[in-house]
Structure formats: structure tokens, C-alpha cells
Amino acid sequence: MGGVDKADMLCSLYGMDRKSRKWWHRLFFGTIDRMLVNSYVVHNKLEDKAIPLLLFRRLVAQHLLTAATPPQIGRPLATSRCNTPPNPPKRHKTDLSVSADIRLTARGVHWPIFDEKRGRCEVCSQNKIESRPHSKCNTCKSTFAAKQISNAFLHFMK
């Protein structure tokens, strides 16, 4: 009986029990909560040094946010069977300077930083709007406008 009480206590510490109009939402979040508590208990048994539950939840959330995209499933493209490497596609004015692979992988590590030097906004230049903001992405080093009115950072990361 002690294990059930301990699990209930750990679930109630930082629980995800939220009100919902749909009954299955509460079941889903309760299941996620139980899985986090069970993995926390296993982690503490395997590791020499125990960490607090809140730190464990933060680490799990951080790793889920920064996880790379899964590999593509399916048949390979016909160009990959050839021995000659394909020519890289030409960059048009509608393309961004950073490839989609870099922009869309590990979304949790892209954060705006502000620099003294101005640059041309990637998204605004596609829409033919003149914008010279101070903000850049800390990972891609691409310039974009990060204002409340027109947040190009959100469009850049989509």
C-alpha cells in the first residue's frame, strides 16, 4: 500500500490535473502524469544521485522540445540511388537563407537575441517590406523582426 500512496503524493505535487469539458482529456493528462512519476522513480533507482521531481519534469520537457525530427519513413527518392551527388537547388528570392532542416529541428533551442548591429529581416524581405531590426536567432544567426505588431520570428520558425 505504501507504493500507491507514494505515487499519489508524487502525482499531486506537480500534477497536470486540469478541468476539461471532455472527460478523456483528464484521463490522457492523468496517464501522462503517471508515466512521468513512474519514469522519475526508475530514474532515481538507476542513478546514484537522486534529483528533485520538478527538475526531472523540466529536463523531460526540455528534451522533448529540443528533440530532432524523426527520420522520414518510406521509399527513398530516385535521386539517392545514383552515384553522382545531385546539384544543390538554386536559391530563389522566396527562399529563406537558412534551410528548413536547421530551422525546424530542435525548436526549443531557437531564441531571439538582440544585437547592436542591424540586419534585413528574412520574412519581411520576402513580403517586400523594408525592415532593419536588431533581433537575430541565437542558433541560425538569421535576422528577423520581433515586435508585438509583426512577429516575424513566429513565421520564420514555421
Side-chain angles (χ1 to χ4, degrees):
M1 198 66 168
V4 174
D5 294 337
K6 180 80 169 179
D8 286 340
M9 183 204 64
L10 289 173
C11 283
S12 66
L13 282 176
Y14 307 105
M16 293 188 291
D17 190 21
R18 301 283 182 254
K19 286 185 179 180
S20 175
R21 291 180 186 224
K22 295 182 172 72
W23 60 270
W24 55 271
H25 282 186
R26 294 191 71 185
L27 289 177
F28 175 75
F29 289 122
T31 305
I32 297 290
D33 203 20
R34 295 285 174 181
M35 289 188 321
L36 277 170
V37 166
N38 288 339
S39 60
Y40 170 72
V41 170
V42 170
H43 179 268
N44 281 345
K45 284 191 179 196
L46 293 177
E47 294 294 321
D48 297 333
K49 193 174 181 184
I51 61 172
L53 179 60
L54 182 61
L55 177 63
F56 180 77
R57 283 179 175 258
R58 285 182 180 164
L59 289 173
V60 168
Q62 181 181 10
H63 286 286
L64 287 175
L65 285 174
T66 59
T69 58
Q72 296 293 327
I73 300 172
R75 291 177 48 187
L77 298 174
T79 57
S80 64
R81 289 185 223 149
C82 301
N83 291 335
T84 59
N87 294 333
K90 293 183 179 179
R91 182 171 173 247
H92 301 288
K93 288 188 178 182
T94 58
D95 294 340
L96 296 170
S97 65
V98 179
S99 68
D101 294 339
I102 296 171
R103 282 188 306 120
L104 301 179
T105 55
R107 289 185 182 225
V109 297
H110 295 277
W111 294 102
I113 55 172
F114 297 94
D115 195 10
E116 293 177 6
K117 206 161 49 166
R118 291 177 176 251
R120 182 122 192 242
C121 175
E122 297 262 342
V123 178
C124 296
S125 64
Q126 284 183 347
N127 298 333
K128 297 183 170 89
I129 299 171
E130 184 64 32
S131 176
R132 303 266 179 199
H134 289 282
S135 51
K136 292 183 177 183
C137 176
N138 67 338
T139 306
C140 307
K141 303 297 184 216
S142 322
T143 307
F144 57 87
K147 300 181 231 172
Q148 285 184 337
I149 299 168
S150 64
N151 194 350
F153 181 68
L154 293 175
H155 297 292
F156 182 70
M157 291 299 153
K158 288 183 183 177

